[in-house]
Amino acid sequence: MTDDQLRTVFKALADARRLAIVRTLERDGEVCACNLLDGLDISQPTLSHHMKVLCDSGLVRCRKDSRWCYYSVDAEVARKVSASFGLLAEAAAAGANAKGAPTCSCEREGSCGRAS
């Protein structure tokens, strides 16, 4: 994933209601918009806005069937986000296992809380 794509997904998930929606989709799989409304204390236009943000991020997809919209997490995008975190965890682990303690490179020694 590109940095722009990751930023868009993270921005979408930064809202508590959108995160709750994604958690519902994670738990229940494909969910009709009318059923999403039941679990949230929001209006239909507000739900539509949140779903647009989530769909525009690529993390959630919409399937229309007649007049109903069914939402689900896009598994491929979720895997890519997860892989990005996997790379971050590997880099952090590699840094922690490197010989010697990290040194402070701040101009003002100790300003970051680490000693040189």
Side-chain angles (χ1 to χ4, degrees):
M1 285 193 101
T2 68
D3 287 351
D4 285 342
Q5 291 169 321
L6 278 173
R7 262 193 309 277
T8 302
V9 169
F10 293 149
K11 185 176 178 181
L13 293 174
D15 182 89
R17 287 191 175 129
R18 289 193 289 267
L19 182 58
I21 290 166
V22 170
R23 291 287 194 191
T24 298
L25 298 176
E26 171 190 31
R27 183 186 66 236
D28 298 341
E30 188 176 69
V31 179
C32 180
C34 60
N35 292 332
L36 284 172
L37 272 174
D38 292 341
L40 303 168
D41 188 27
I42 59 175
S43 66
Q44 188 279 324
T46 301
L47 176 65
S48 291
H49 166 73
H50 287 307
M51 297 316 298
K52 179 176 179 359
V53 171
L54 287 167
C55 288
D56 287 350
S57 79
L59 185 60
V60 172
R61 60 182 168 198
C62 176
R63 180 179 64 83
K64 293 186 179 191
D65 185 9
S66 184
R67 64 183 193 139
W68 304 107
C69 291
Y70 294 88
Y71 296 98
S72 60
V73 172
D74 186 307
E76 184 60 28
V77 173
R79 274 193 281 283
K80 288 178 180 178
V81 172
S82 178
S84 294
F85 274 101
L87 293 172
L88 178 63
E90 288 173 18
N97 293 330
K99 289 185 178 183
T103 60
C104 179
S105 61
C106 299
E107 288 184 19
R108 294 187 346 234
E109 186 176 325
S111 65
C112 68
R114 282 198 250 165
S116 295

